[in-house]
Amino acid sequence: MLGQLGASRTPGGMVAGEGTAFGALLRELRLEASLTIEALSAASGVSVRGIGDLERGRRAAPQRGTVAALAAGLGLGEPERERLLAAARAGRSRGYSPLGVRAFPRGIDDFVGRERELARLTELAARAAGLRGPSEQAEHRTTATERPVVATVSGPPGAGKTTLALHAARELADRFPDGQLMVDLRGMDEAPPEPSELMLGVLKALGVADRDLAKAGPQGRPGLYRQMLADRRYLLVLDNARDEAQVRPLLPGAGAGMVVVTSRRMLTGLESVHRLPLGELSAEEAAAFLTALVGTERAAADPAALAEVAGHCGNLPLALRVAGNWLATRTGWSVRRLADRLALEERRLDTLTAGDLHLAAAFNLSYRQLTPAAARMFRLLSLVDGPDAGAAGAARLTGQSLFDAEDTLEELVETGLLGADRDRYRFHDLLRLYARGCLRAEEPAGAAEAARSELHRWLLETTVMAGRWYEPDHGAPPATWRSDVDLSTADRARQWLQAEGVNWLAALRAAAAAGDHATVVEVAEALHWFSDQWIFWGHWPEVFATAARSAQALGDPLLEATQVNYHAWALLVCEGRHHDSLDRSAQALAAARRAGDLSQQGWSHKYAAWAFRLLGDPAEAARHNSEAAALFETAGDLHGALQSMVEHDQLLVDGGRHEEAVTAVPKTLSFLDQVGDRIEPHVAEFTRTNLRTVLGGAHAYLQNWDAAVEHLSIAVELCRASGNTAMESRVLIHLGNSLLAAGHAAEARDVFSRCRALGAAADPNSLTEARKRLADALDALTPDGATPLPTSGQATTLRDVRPGWPP
């Protein structure tokens, strides 16, 4: 029988158990004699390394002559000498393992979370065990056709890979009656042990006699290794693997066992393995882990501070353990004190050190194994302002070609230093801080700043090209434009703008701070109509306020009027600040008059009309909209004239003139069809969606439910086709309300569920409304699953059906 997992790693790769009798006894006797290892070596003639390996369990117990020499060096009397000899004999007997029996490492009793990974390992263990119970497993003999189940657990430094493997091994012990072995492959060492050396350690742990090992010799070890494992039902943990080349020879080819390999690398080259990538813990799991380390009373005294500590640790298990140990050994410290200390980013990695646990040291083990190109990429990626980056941006930072940059990024992913989600690459927060430290220490300041400037310049140039897909008289980039980013369609341009949003926004801020006002205005102008495609991003008020200040700095009243009008829109639509929007549209009107520009004067009145309508002043809204329509007509601004027509239709609905709206909106739709490609396609789609929503709302007020559902359904499909999630969420609410009022409760439930599933790009108010409808409104369903049609007296309860969509 093999021993179960032992207690601590040894330099030789095997795991020594707390019950490793000979090594523990030798150390005890040496300390009692007040001898250092060097002194005992001099007295006994046994090498320093040999004594150290024996004490740490790296080597099996020595032969009688070595024991006699050690006893003489220790000056042992007869009782102690016999005791040491007995421990050596026990170690040399068949079944000896330096692993110890039922002796598990410290640090797994406070294991938290990882339910999904544990469930997967349990499933794989059942497959390896053939779904037999322990007694059946003991009786079953393996066959040549059985192959061990192999699982790899990979993840960044400090993710808790070894802890998961140890915990799983303890939980699954009864499924492997022939025992468990753990081998530390020491993959982060400068010169990790060769597979042959590791095989030798396993064979000794399995009780293979020295004479048999000598007979087999180094060339025969692989065959003996495979034979010994094929005959047993075991769990073999190969911990801390460097790469596939180190692991592959250690994977048994036959047998009914299970192998769990842990590595910072993904070990992509291994075939026929089950992969378990490991990341950080959830916020709840991180809090539970810290609580186990610092105590319930202390954690409960300030749960907010505990959550902050976990957040500053990035929910990374090793960082959490360091923080927890820090608090556990400093009982005078409050959790808040540590949270405030960790809040200082420039000191965070230094703070996350407790005794011999150094978070930065764990990161450094992986960093020093990178190729020079990957190490430089790792450093420069810390310059990215947002949470992630694409390959094209990384190429700009390093000056590599796109293909070379992709290869370098994948090396970082493979080594666990970078996460990947489809075509985006992301640092763990603590790894980003570590990379910044490497950048300061190894990259010339001028080179780092030049790389950042080049990235910002490229981001803003690409933003302009992508945004112009949605602008009248622009569309696709010119044929002369060359880039690693695919902007061949408007949809690809939208995807890039959204994926890189935080990054190009940071570049815009940097341009404004540097006084590059012309670039700021150019970027904002290119994003004007695109902003309708991504309304609830949250940063449009800042974008257009920044551009308005830059336009004022340039001293051009027309640019100022344009950008201030855009800011009025953002305040109105994105933040619901109606009065502030009115103030901005008045400022834009004054600037437009100074510039003598009728079109921007018209837009100022249009935004004022919109604001007054939402403030419940239809008369003032109608007055401003009439002014806007006249100015647009005089200026020949077809896009503006169309939006004034939509505003007029919405005012009819809001003013209770529903029959007129039902007649007017189709006329506006007909006009939109007539002008054709004179309206920019995305503006036309957006406007058509608004009009269908307004028309659906008018029919809903009139309780023409079938017509309301028809038009709102068309509006939803238009939103989906254009990828406008924000608008789709709003229209889905109106559609769901109309279906509910019409008695189609099941369909309404589906619609509200679709709205709730849209995520962060949706209107937050719509998401809240969808959740409320699903939780409350549908509770009133009749037994047959339908809501009765409302009577005319219930019409006032249908205010939620009102579109309220500001076109």
Side-chain angles (χ1 to χ4, degrees), residues 772-798:
K772 179 177 182 295
R773 285 296 188 185
L774 288 169
D776 299 331
L778 296 183
D779 288 343
L781 296 180
T782 58
D784 63 355
T787 301
L789 286 170
T791 65
S792 58
Q794 293 174 303
T796 55
T797 67
L798 299 178

PDB file of all heavy atoms in Angstrom, residues 772-798:
ATOM      1  N   LYS A 772     -38.485  44.103 -11.553  1.00  0.00           N
ATOM      2  CA  LYS A 772     -39.694  44.395 -10.778  1.00  0.00           C
ATOM      3  C   LYS A 772     -40.913  43.719 -11.389  1.00  0.00           C
ATOM      4  O   LYS A 772     -41.738  43.133 -10.675  1.00  0.00           O
ATOM      5  CB  LYS A 772     -39.910  45.912 -10.717  1.00  0.00           C
ATOM      6  CG  LYS A 772     -41.148  46.352  -9.946  1.00  0.00           C
ATOM      7  CD  LYS A 772     -41.219  47.877  -9.894  1.00  0.00           C
ATOM      8  CE  LYS A 772     -42.432  48.323  -9.090  1.00  0.00           C
ATOM      9  NZ  LYS A 772     -43.699  47.943  -9.719  1.00  0.00           N
ATOM     10  N   ARG A 773     -41.011  43.782 -12.703  1.00  0.00           N
ATOM     11  CA  ARG A 773     -42.151  43.149 -13.371  1.00  0.00           C
ATOM     12  C   ARG A 773     -42.149  41.641 -13.149  1.00  0.00           C
ATOM     13  O   ARG A 773     -43.183  41.029 -12.896  1.00  0.00           O
ATOM     14  CB  ARG A 773     -42.117  43.446 -14.863  1.00  0.00           C
ATOM     15  CG  ARG A 773     -42.535  44.865 -15.224  1.00  0.00           C
ATOM     16  CD  ARG A 773     -43.962  45.106 -14.864  1.00  0.00           C
ATOM     17  NE  ARG A 773     -44.445  46.382 -15.354  1.00  0.00           N
ATOM     18  CZ  ARG A 773     -45.646  46.870 -15.078  1.00  0.00           C
ATOM     19  NH1 ARG A 773     -46.468  46.180 -14.304  1.00  0.00           N
ATOM     20  NH2 ARG A 773     -46.025  48.030 -15.557  1.00  0.00           N
ATOM     21  N   LEU A 774     -40.990  41.049 -13.252  1.00  0.00           N
ATOM     22  CA  LEU A 774     -40.901  39.598 -13.069  1.00  0.00           C
ATOM     23  C   LEU A 774     -41.209  39.197 -11.633  1.00  0.00           C
ATOM     24  O   LEU A 774     -41.772  38.134 -11.381  1.00  0.00           O
ATOM     25  CB  LEU A 774     -39.509  39.104 -13.466  1.00  0.00           C
ATOM     26  CG  LEU A 774     -39.218  39.107 -14.958  1.00  0.00           C
ATOM     27  CD1 LEU A 774     -37.740  38.871 -15.210  1.00  0.00           C
ATOM     28  CD2 LEU A 774     -40.040  38.041 -15.676  1.00  0.00           C
ATOM     29  N   ALA A 775     -40.833  40.047 -10.685  1.00  0.00           N
ATOM     30  CA  ALA A 775     -41.030  39.701  -9.278  1.00  0.00           C
ATOM     31  C   ALA A 775     -42.418  40.045  -8.767  1.00  0.00           C
ATOM     32  O   ALA A 775     -42.973  39.330  -7.934  1.00  0.00           O
ATOM     33  CB  ALA A 775     -39.989  40.427  -8.421  1.00  0.00           C
ATOM     34  N   ASP A 776     -43.000  41.145  -9.270  1.00  0.00           N
ATOM     35  CA  ASP A 776     -44.239  41.645  -8.684  1.00  0.00           C
ATOM     36  C   ASP A 776     -45.444  41.548  -9.614  1.00  0.00           C
ATOM     37  O   ASP A 776     -46.442  40.920  -9.291  1.00  0.00           O
ATOM     38  CB  ASP A 776     -44.071  43.115  -8.265  1.00  0.00           C
ATOM     39  CG  ASP A 776     -42.977  43.274  -7.230  1.00  0.00           C
ATOM     40  OD1 ASP A 776     -42.747  42.319  -6.467  1.00  0.00           O
ATOM     41  OD2 ASP A 776     -42.346  44.336  -7.193  1.00  0.00           O
ATOM     42  N   ALA A 777     -45.319  42.177 -10.791  1.00  0.00           N
ATOM     43  CA  ALA A 777     -46.488  42.310 -11.649  1.00  0.00           C
ATOM     44  C   ALA A 777     -47.057  40.962 -12.062  1.00  0.00           C
ATOM     45  O   ALA A 777     -48.277  40.780 -12.154  1.00  0.00           O
ATOM     46  CB  ALA A 777     -46.151  43.139 -12.885  1.00  0.00           C
ATOM     47  N   LEU A 778     -46.202  39.986 -12.289  1.00  0.00           N
ATOM     48  CA  LEU A 778     -46.683  38.697 -12.762  1.00  0.00           C
ATOM     49  C   LEU A 778     -47.240  37.836 -11.632  1.00  0.00           C
ATOM     50  O   LEU A 778     -47.757  36.750 -11.873  1.00  0.00           O
ATOM     51  CB  LEU A 778     -45.568  37.957 -13.483  1.00  0.00           C
ATOM     52  CG  LEU A 778     -45.071  38.661 -14.757  1.00  0.00           C
ATOM     53  CD1 LEU A 778     -44.023  37.820 -15.458  1.00  0.00           C
ATOM     54  CD2 LEU A 778     -46.212  38.954 -15.715  1.00  0.00           C
ATOM     55  N   ASP A 779     -47.104  38.300 -10.393  1.00  0.00           N
ATOM     56  CA  ASP A 779     -47.715  37.560  -9.285  1.00  0.00           C
ATOM     57  C   ASP A 779     -49.232  37.582  -9.366  1.00  0.00           C
ATOM     58  O   ASP A 779     -49.914  36.762  -8.750  1.00  0.00           O
ATOM     59  CB  ASP A 779     -47.280  38.158  -7.943  1.00  0.00           C
ATOM     60  CG  ASP A 779     -45.830  37.853  -7.646  1.00  0.00           C
ATOM     61  OD1 ASP A 779     -45.290  36.945  -8.294  1.00  0.00           O
ATOM     62  OD2 ASP A 779     -45.244  38.528  -6.780  1.00  0.00           O
ATOM     63  N   ALA A 780     -49.763  38.558 -10.103  1.00  0.00           N
ATOM     64  CA  ALA A 780     -51.210  38.706 -10.178  1.00  0.00           C
ATOM     65  C   ALA A 780     -51.828  37.894 -11.305  1.00  0.00           C
ATOM     66  O   ALA A 780     -52.977  38.123 -11.692  1.00  0.00           O
ATOM     67  CB  ALA A 780     -51.555  40.179 -10.387  1.00  0.00           C
ATOM     68  N   LEU A 781     -51.101  36.929 -11.845  1.00  0.00           N
ATOM     69  CA  LEU A 781     -51.625  36.127 -12.946  1.00  0.00           C
ATOM     70  C   LEU A 781     -52.843  35.330 -12.506  1.00  0.00           C
ATOM     71  O   LEU A 781     -52.931  34.862 -11.377  1.00  0.00           O
ATOM     72  CB  LEU A 781     -50.559  35.162 -13.455  1.00  0.00           C
ATOM     73  CG  LEU A 781     -49.300  35.796 -14.077  1.00  0.00           C
ATOM     74  CD1 LEU A 781     -48.360  34.702 -14.518  1.00  0.00           C
ATOM     75  CD2 LEU A 781     -49.671  36.691 -15.217  1.00  0.00           C
ATOM     76  N   THR A 782     -53.751  35.153 -13.411  1.00  0.00           N
ATOM     77  CA  THR A 782     -54.903  34.301 -13.138  1.00  0.00           C
ATOM     78  C   THR A 782     -54.464  32.854 -13.177  1.00  0.00           C
ATOM     79  O   THR A 782     -53.399  32.527 -13.689  1.00  0.00           O
ATOM     80  CB  THR A 782     -55.987  34.534 -14.210  1.00  0.00           C
ATOM     81  OG1 THR A 782     -55.403  34.254 -15.482  1.00  0.00           O
ATOM     82  CG2 THR A 782     -56.480  35.956 -14.186  1.00  0.00           C
ATOM     83  N   PRO A 783     -55.262  31.913 -12.631  1.00  0.00           N
ATOM     84  CA  PRO A 783     -54.852  30.511 -12.570  1.00  0.00           C
ATOM     85  C   PRO A 783     -54.454  29.910 -13.908  1.00  0.00           C
ATOM     86  O   PRO A 783     -53.613  29.025 -13.967  1.00  0.00           O
ATOM     87  CB  PRO A 783     -56.077  29.815 -11.979  1.00  0.00           C
ATOM     88  CG  PRO A 783     -56.733  30.877 -11.170  1.00  0.00           C
ATOM     89  CD  PRO A 783     -56.535  32.142 -11.942  1.00  0.00           C
ATOM     90  N   ASP A 784     -55.040  30.376 -14.984  1.00  0.00           N
ATOM     91  CA  ASP A 784     -54.707  29.790 -16.284  1.00  0.00           C
ATOM     92  C   ASP A 784     -53.512  30.486 -16.941  1.00  0.00           C
ATOM     93  O   ASP A 784     -53.202  30.243 -18.090  1.00  0.00           O
ATOM     94  CB  ASP A 784     -55.914  29.843 -17.219  1.00  0.00           C
ATOM     95  CG  ASP A 784     -56.346  31.280 -17.534  1.00  0.00           C
ATOM     96  OD1 ASP A 784     -55.766  32.224 -16.956  1.00  0.00           O
ATOM     97  OD2 ASP A 784     -57.248  31.428 -18.364  1.00  0.00           O
ATOM     98  N   GLY A 785     -52.830  31.326 -16.171  1.00  0.00           N
ATOM     99  CA  GLY A 785     -51.606  31.935 -16.681  1.00  0.00           C
ATOM    100  C   GLY A 785     -51.827  33.197 -17.464  1.00  0.00           C
ATOM    101  O   GLY A 785     -50.920  33.703 -18.098  1.00  0.00           O
ATOM    102  N   ALA A 786     -53.039  33.766 -17.455  1.00  0.00           N
ATOM    103  CA  ALA A 786     -53.305  34.977 -18.223  1.00  0.00           C
ATOM    104  C   ALA A 786     -53.785  36.075 -17.295  1.00  0.00           C
ATOM    105  O   ALA A 786     -54.394  35.826 -16.271  1.00  0.00           O
ATOM    106  CB  ALA A 786     -54.364  34.719 -19.294  1.00  0.00           C
ATOM    107  N   THR A 787     -53.481  37.316 -17.647  1.00  0.00           N
ATOM    108  CA  THR A 787     -53.970  38.468 -16.914  1.00  0.00           C
ATOM    109  C   THR A 787     -55.201  38.998 -17.633  1.00  0.00           C
ATOM    110  O   THR A 787     -55.171  39.175 -18.849  1.00  0.00           O
ATOM    111  CB  THR A 787     -52.901  39.567 -16.859  1.00  0.00           C
ATOM    112  OG1 THR A 787     -51.747  39.030 -16.214  1.00  0.00           O
ATOM    113  CG2 THR A 787     -53.385  40.772 -16.095  1.00  0.00           C
ATOM    114  N   PRO A 788     -56.278  39.278 -16.897  1.00  0.00           N
ATOM    115  CA  PRO A 788     -57.485  39.764 -17.567  1.00  0.00           C
ATOM    116  C   PRO A 788     -57.216  41.060 -18.309  1.00  0.00           C
ATOM    117  O   PRO A 788     -56.384  41.869 -17.901  1.00  0.00           O
ATOM    118  CB  PRO A 788     -58.459  39.977 -16.401  1.00  0.00           C
ATOM    119  CG  PRO A 788     -57.914  39.153 -15.274  1.00  0.00           C
ATOM    120  CD  PRO A 788     -56.440  39.138 -15.452  1.00  0.00           C
ATOM    121  N   LEU A 789     -57.909  41.244 -19.405  1.00  0.00           N
ATOM    122  CA  LEU A 789     -57.798  42.496 -20.125  1.00  0.00           C
ATOM    123  C   LEU A 789     -58.277  43.639 -19.253  1.00  0.00           C
ATOM    124  O   LEU A 789     -59.276  43.519 -18.539  1.00  0.00           O
ATOM    125  CB  LEU A 789     -58.638  42.453 -21.409  1.00  0.00           C
ATOM    126  CG  LEU A 789     -58.076  41.619 -22.555  1.00  0.00           C
ATOM    127  CD1 LEU A 789     -59.123  41.493 -23.639  1.00  0.00           C
ATOM    128  CD2 LEU A 789     -56.811  42.257 -23.096  1.00  0.00           C
ATOM    129  N   PRO A 790     -57.594  44.792 -19.271  1.00  0.00           N
ATOM    130  CA  PRO A 790     -58.032  45.909 -18.446  1.00  0.00           C
ATOM    131  C   PRO A 790     -59.320  46.511 -18.977  1.00  0.00           C
ATOM    132  O   PRO A 790     -59.560  46.520 -20.185  1.00  0.00           O
ATOM    133  CB  PRO A 790     -56.872  46.899 -18.567  1.00  0.00           C
ATOM    134  CG  PRO A 790     -56.230  46.574 -19.879  1.00  0.00           C
ATOM    135  CD  PRO A 790     -56.393  45.097 -20.045  1.00  0.00           C
ATOM    136  N   THR A 791     -60.090  47.010 -18.081  1.00  0.00           N
ATOM    137  CA  THR A 791     -61.297  47.738 -18.480  1.00  0.00           C
ATOM    138  C   THR A 791     -60.919  49.179 -18.734  1.00  0.00           C
ATOM    139  O   THR A 791     -59.806  49.606 -18.448  1.00  0.00           O
ATOM    140  CB  THR A 791     -62.347  47.675 -17.359  1.00  0.00           C
ATOM    141  OG1 THR A 791     -61.833  48.382 -16.221  1.00  0.00           O
ATOM    142  CG2 THR A 791     -62.631  46.237 -16.970  1.00  0.00           C
ATOM    143  N   SER A 792     -61.872  49.939 -19.267  1.00  0.00           N
ATOM    144  CA  SER A 792     -61.572  51.344 -19.553  1.00  0.00           C
ATOM    145  C   SER A 792     -61.239  52.092 -18.281  1.00  0.00           C
ATOM    146  O   SER A 792     -60.492  53.064 -18.293  1.00  0.00           O
ATOM    147  CB  SER A 792     -62.759  52.008 -20.260  1.00  0.00           C
ATOM    148  OG  SER A 792     -63.923  51.898 -19.429  1.00  0.00           O
ATOM    149  N   GLY A 793     -61.798  51.655 -17.160  1.00  0.00           N
ATOM    150  CA  GLY A 793     -61.500  52.314 -15.892  1.00  0.00           C
ATOM    151  C   GLY A 793     -60.090  52.059 -15.413  1.00  0.00           C
ATOM    152  O   GLY A 793     -59.606  52.737 -14.515  1.00  0.00           O
ATOM    153  N   GLN A 794     -59.422  51.087 -16.025  1.00  0.00           N
ATOM    154  CA  GLN A 794     -58.057  50.772 -15.628  1.00  0.00           C
ATOM    155  C   GLN A 794     -57.032  51.489 -16.491  1.00  0.00           C
ATOM    156  O   GLN A 794     -55.836  51.299 -16.307  1.00  0.00           O
ATOM    157  CB  GLN A 794     -57.808  49.265 -15.749  1.00  0.00           C
ATOM    158  CG  GLN A 794     -58.608  48.422 -14.757  1.00  0.00           C
ATOM    159  CD  GLN A 794     -58.430  46.958 -15.044  1.00  0.00           C
ATOM    160  OE1 GLN A 794     -58.714  46.517 -16.148  1.00  0.00           O
ATOM    161  NE2 GLN A 794     -57.951  46.205 -14.066  1.00  0.00           N
ATOM    162  N   ALA A 795     -57.476  52.303 -17.404  1.00  0.00           N
ATOM    163  CA  ALA A 795     -56.553  52.909 -18.352  1.00  0.00           C
ATOM    164  C   ALA A 795     -55.459  53.704 -17.663  1.00  0.00           C
ATOM    165  O   ALA A 795     -54.323  53.755 -18.127  1.00  0.00           O
ATOM    166  CB  ALA A 795     -57.307  53.807 -19.325  1.00  0.00           C
ATOM    167  N   THR A 796     -55.769  54.327 -16.524  1.00  0.00           N
ATOM    168  CA  THR A 796     -54.757  55.134 -15.858  1.00  0.00           C
ATOM    169  C   THR A 796     -53.623  54.283 -15.313  1.00  0.00           C
ATOM    170  O   THR A 796     -52.566  54.799 -14.985  1.00  0.00           O
ATOM    171  CB  THR A 796     -55.388  55.918 -14.691  1.00  0.00           C
ATOM    172  OG1 THR A 796     -56.058  54.996 -13.821  1.00  0.00           O
ATOM    173  CG2 THR A 796     -56.385  56.928 -15.198  1.00  0.00           C
ATOM    174  N   THR A 797     -53.840  52.954 -15.187  1.00  0.00           N
ATOM    175  CA  THR A 797     -52.765  52.092 -14.687  1.00  0.00           C
ATOM    176  C   THR A 797     -51.796  51.720 -15.796  1.00  0.00           C
ATOM    177  O   THR A 797     -50.809  51.059 -15.543  1.00  0.00           O
ATOM    178  CB  THR A 797     -53.338  50.788 -14.105  1.00  0.00           C
ATOM    179  OG1 THR A 797     -53.905  50.020 -15.165  1.00  0.00           O
ATOM    180  CG2 THR A 797     -54.389  51.068 -13.070  1.00  0.00           C
ATOM    181  N   LEU A 798     -52.069  52.177 -17.022  1.00  0.00           N
ATOM    182  CA  LEU A 798     -51.227  51.787 -18.145  1.00  0.00           C
ATOM    183  C   LEU A 798     -50.187  52.841 -18.470  1.00  0.00           C
ATOM    184  O   LEU A 798     -49.632  52.845 -19.557  1.00  0.00           O
ATOM    185  CB  LEU A 798     -52.104  51.539 -19.382  1.00  0.00           C
ATOM    186  CG  LEU A 798     -53.129  50.427 -19.218  1.00  0.00           C
ATOM    187  CD1 LEU A 798     -53.945  50.316 -20.490  1.00  0.00           C
ATOM    188  CD2 LEU A 798     -52.465  49.104 -18.890  1.00  0.00           C
TER     189      LEU A 798
END
